[in-house]
Amino acid sequence: SCMKWSVPSSIREPHHLMQLPVPSTKHLSDKNSVIVNALEKGESYFHRCQVEITRLRFEIAMLGSQYMSQREMALMQGYSEHIFFVVCQQRSMIAGMIHSIGSIELC
């Protein structure tokens, strides 16, 4: 699948994912409960996606499917990895924005 090549290989390796910036409210002076709650929900979503993509990779590699061809499974994996890549990008951008806001507030 062409989606496979649109996702950096580092997204497929858990130790690289651990190096991504983590959104945190420690840089914000206003720790609004709505903001904190939204960040916690976002982190929960990220971790659920990470677990699901790992599970999908394992199932495709080990079990296969009696209902889908190898090509269809490869497409599903490519689409899933692309969506997870977008989630990683958004999470990194949020972390960067929070850090920038914290820096601006200090000025």
Side-chain angles (χ1 to χ4, degrees):
S1 140
C2 62
M3 282 291 193
K4 179 179 180 180
W5 307 114
S6 68
V7 177
S9 61
S10 57
I11 291 297
R12 296 181 190 94
E13 299 174 25
H15 65 278
H16 287 293
L17 292 175
M18 300 300 284
Q19 296 174 0
L20 292 174
V22 177
S24 171
T25 58
K26 71 180 180 181
H27 297 293
L28 298 177
S29 60
D30 178 23
K31 294 190 179 20
N32 184 324
S33 64
V34 174
I35 294 170
V36 172
N37 188 30
L39 283 176
E40 287 173 356
K41 285 181 179 181
E43 279 300 290
S44 175
Y45 180 75
F46 171 77
H47 292 294
R48 281 194 323 264
C49 287
Q50 192 173 12
V51 167
E52 289 299 322
I53 193 75
T54 302
R55 186 178 301 159
L56 176 66
R57 288 176 186 145
F58 174 77
E59 286 180 15
I60 288 172
M62 297 298 195
L63 305 175
S65 172
Q66 64 183 16
Y67 305 106
M68 295 171 64
S69 68
Q70 286 290 336
R71 181 183 176 282
E72 291 169 326
M73 287 188 293
L75 280 172
M76 288 303 298
Q77 183 174 356
Y79 291 140
S80 300
E81 288 181 350
H82 180 73
I83 291 169
F84 184 60
F85 177 56
V86 171
V87 169
C88 290
Q89 285 180 320
Q90 291 174 341
R91 180 177 181 246
S92 294
M93 287 189 311
I94 289 169
M97 287 190 328
I98 289 172
H99 183 73
S100 295
I101 289 169
S103 298
I104 292 170
E105 287 178 345
L106 292 175
C107 294

